[in-house]
């Protein structure tokens, strides 16, 4: 319910506003020159006033003034029915420049839940250590924290609301808590701890001494393979940027058919990678605080959200559900919107050229102009609705992704 309160940002359309100002000046100038020419040629005021009135009445800025903002609203409405919410109206034009799509791994390409593969590591901890670990993870939304929290509660550990302080999250590294003269940490291997020959996915330590090493299994989203393949066929370069161990990132990339994977990246390194690879054609898809800096660099940003997310207030768009199909649907609707804009502008140019030309030639009277003008407006609006209907291309995206419902094996 909280997500539905995230309203799209209202944005002015400076290009539309500039066009309308120029359009009004041009129409007034043409009308004045036409009327002056007829007055000079005939010496009569009646024909001059007819030309002046006909030009002013018949000319119609609806294509840009009404139809184009309507195209944005209709496109956004189509996407909302698919669970995709556009927050930035300026996203439409930026998406047309996208050539690279960058994915975070955990919680983005994978489901928001992970499974603890070695619960015996919890059983080997002392009771006080398990309670401290629960204090570290009890309110943190990261998938690793959620998995440990559920495992601890299932084993009988309870949080009694004692005097332990709230943990501090070091973005890109993990959680830290200082209590009773000790520093407790849960985070990536090597964060103030030695890296073993076979590091785990997360390390629990006290004052730099490793107390437990945890391993987790991740399940890719059900349609991840199909969606990645479809995006690659459409010409997008796909990259995986992950803070997880390089070998885990590489294994996930191999399973999903992603040719380029980078693991072990800090938030700063993710942002630097985006900056170094021509950010002006980049779409970043991520879901955690460690993606926030990369979001600041990317040209377009999106985030998946199931229950609650961290970046939906910052992303250009977010999509609901447990699949990745929202990305391709957004790109398909963006292309449909571009076709719609071109059709509306083409019709507007043709209509105004013919109608104003007839008016200047003295072949249009004000009454006929008053009838034709609203008809042209209705045609412009009809072009928007018919061009942005859920055409076969968008429908194919829905049918294919709906069929991709079988879960993939964990990685």
């Amino acid at each position: 319910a909280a997500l539905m309160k995230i309203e799209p940002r209202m944005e002015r359309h400076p290009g539309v506003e500039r066009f309308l100002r120029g359009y009004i000046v041009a129409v007034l100038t043409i009308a004045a020159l036409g009327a002056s020419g007829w007055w000079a040629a005939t010496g009569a005021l009646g024909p001059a006033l007819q030309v002046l009135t006909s030009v002013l009445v018949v000319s119609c800025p609806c294509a840009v003034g009404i139809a184009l903002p309507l195209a944005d609203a209709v496109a956004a409405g189509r996407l909302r029915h698919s669970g995709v919410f556009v927050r930035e109206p300026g996203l439409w034009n930026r998406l047309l420049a996208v050539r690279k799509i960058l994915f975070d791994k955990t919680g983005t390409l994978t489901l928001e839940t992970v499974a603890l593969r070695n619960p015996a590591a919890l059983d080997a901890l002392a009771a006080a250590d398990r309670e401290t670990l629960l204090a570290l993870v009890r309110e943190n939304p990261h998938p690793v924290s959620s998995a440990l929290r559920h495992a601890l509660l299932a084993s009988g550990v309870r949080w009694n609301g004692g005097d332990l302080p709230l943990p501090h999250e070091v973005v890109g590294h993990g959680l830290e808590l200082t209590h009773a003269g000790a520093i407790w940490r849960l985070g990536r291997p090597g964060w103030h701890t030695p890296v073993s020959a076979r590091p785990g996915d997360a390390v629990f330590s006290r004052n730099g001494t490793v107390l437990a090493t945890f391993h987790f299994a991740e399940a890719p989203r059900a349609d991840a393979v199909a969606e990645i393949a479809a995006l690659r066929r459409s010409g997008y370069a796909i990259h995986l940027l992950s803070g997880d161990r390089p070998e885990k990132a590489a294994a996930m990339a191999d399973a999903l058919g992603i040719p380029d994977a980078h693991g072990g990246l800090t938030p700063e390194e993710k942002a630097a990678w985006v900056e170094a690879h021509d950010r002006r054609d980049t779409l970043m898809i991520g879901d955690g605080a460690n993606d926030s800096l990369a979001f600041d660099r990317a040209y377009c940003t999106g985030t998946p959200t199931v229950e609650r997310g961290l970046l939906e207030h910052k992303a250009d768009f977010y999509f609901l559900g447990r699949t990745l199909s929202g990305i391709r649907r957004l790109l398909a609707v963006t292309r449909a919107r571009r076709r719609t804009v071109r059709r509306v502008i083409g019709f507007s140019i043709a209509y105004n050229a013919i109608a104003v030309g007839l008016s200047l030639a003295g072949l249009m009277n004000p009454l006929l102009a008053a009838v034709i003008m609203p008809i042209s407006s209705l045609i412009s609006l009809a072009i928007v609705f018919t061009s942005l209907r859920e055409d076969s291309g968008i429908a194919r995206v829905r049918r294919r992704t709906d069929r991709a419902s079988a879960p993939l094996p964990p990685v």
Side-chain angles (χ1 to χ4, degrees):
L3 288 175
M4 305 309 292
K5 297 178 181 178
I6 302 173
E7 296 293 337
R9 295 184 182 178
M10 299 304 295
E11 182 176 289
R12 296 173 60 187
H13 293 264
V16 173
E17 293 174 0
R18 287 195 299 271
F19 174 86
L20 291 177
R21 286 194 295 268
Y23 179 89
I24 292 172
V25 171
V27 168
L28 291 175
T29 301
I30 291 172
L33 291 176
S36 300
W38 273 86
W39 197 356
T42 64
L45 183 60
L49 289 177
Q50 176 180 322
V51 169
L52 176 67
T53 306
S54 297
V55 170
L56 293 177
V57 172
V58 80
S59 58
C60 179
C62 292
V64 175
I66 298 176
L68 295 191
L70 178 65
D72 290 356
V74 173
R78 297 290 189 197
L79 288 169
R80 281 196 294 271
H81 288 295
S82 300
V84 182
F85 295 81
V86 174
R87 298 186 58 249
E88 294 287 350
L91 175 65
W92 301 114
N93 291 329
R94 284 185 281 132
L95 279 174
L96 295 173
V98 168
R99 296 296 177 268
K100 297 192 296 289
I101 302 179
L102 317 180
F103 285 97
D104 173 48
K105 181 176 70 68
T106 304
T108 302
L109 288 173
T110 68
L111 296 174
E112 289 77 5
T113 56
V114 299
L116 179 62
R117 298 176 60 183
N118 60 328
L122 286 178
D123 299 334
L125 290 172
D129 295 336
R130 288 199 296 269
E131 292 176 1
T132 304
L133 179 58
L134 181 58
L136 273 168
V137 302
R138 70 184 188 273
E139 294 183 0
N140 188 267
H142 192 277
V144 166
S145 296
S146 298
L148 288 174
R149 181 169 61 250
H150 294 155
L152 287 165
L153 293 174
S155 68
V157 180
R158 293 292 180 267
W159 167 247
N160 57 17
D163 59 351
L164 288 177
L166 290 174
H168 168 65
E169 181 173 2
V170 181
V171 176
H173 295 280
L175 300 168
E176 181 179 274
L177 186 151
T178 302
H179 175 64
I183 299 176
W184 307 75
R185 293 187 177 94
L186 173 69
R188 63 193 302 169
W191 181 40
H192 297 289
T193 60
V195 179
S196 64
R198 298 182 62 186
D201 300 316
V203 171
F204 178 46
S205 67
R206 180 181 61 236
N207 290 334
T209 300
V210 175
L211 301 177
T213 299
F214 301 112
H215 301 266
F216 299 91
E218 298 175 301
R221 293 177 184 266
D223 64 342
V225 172
E227 287 301 310
I228 294 298
L231 289 170
R232 292 184 65 190
R233 285 195 301 269
S234 297
Y236 296 100
I238 309 298
H239 306 268
L240 190 154
L241 307 181
S242 175
D244 210 339
R245 291 181 289 119
E247 57 269 28
K248 286 203 72 175
M252 180 63 68
D254 289 341
L256 300 182
I258 298 177
D260 184 52
H262 303 269
L265 300 181
T266 64
E268 293 78 12
E269 289 170 338
K270 283 187 178 184
W273 194 98
V274 175
E275 194 71 43
H277 290 79
D278 191 5
R279 58 172 295 275
R280 294 169 296 179
D281 66 351
T282 297
L283 168 60
M284 176 72 190
I285 308 294
D287 78 315
N290 58 344
D291 300 313
S292 183
L293 293 179
F295 266 41
D296 293 337
R297 304 295 194 278
Y299 197 45
C300 308
T301 58
T303 185
T305 304
V306 174
E307 295 178 355
R308 60 174 180 172
L310 297 175
L311 294 177
E312 65 268 9
H313 289 279
K314 189 174 186 177
D316 295 321
F317 71 96
Y318 63 94
F319 53 98
L320 308 180
R322 296 184 176 274
T323 70
L324 294 174
S325 60
I327 300 169
R328 200 149 55 100
R329 290 177 185 174
L330 173 64
L331 295 171
V333 171
T334 299
R335 292 190 293 270
R337 176 192 170 276
R338 176 176 60 182
R339 292 193 298 270
T340 300
V341 169
R342 290 175 175 176
R343 291 169 184 171
V344 168
I345 291 178
F347 169 75
S348 176
I349 292 173
Y351 162 77
N352 282 286
I354 295 172
V356 172
L358 291 174
S359 298
L360 292 175
L363 302 176
M364 181 80 67
N365 63 65
L367 180 60
L368 180 60
V371 173
I372 293 177
M373 189 276 289
I375 293 176
S376 72
S377 300
L378 293 176
I379 293 175
S380 296
L381 301 182
I383 291 173
V384 171
F385 285 110
T386 56
S387 297
L388 278 172
R389 69 181 183 273
E390 195 165 15
D391 60 26
S392 58
I394 301 173
R396 282 196 297 271
V397 172
R398 173 173 293 176
R399 288 195 298 270
R400 289 172 181 171
T401 53
D402 287 347
R403 287 198 298 266
S405 58
L408 297 174
V411 176

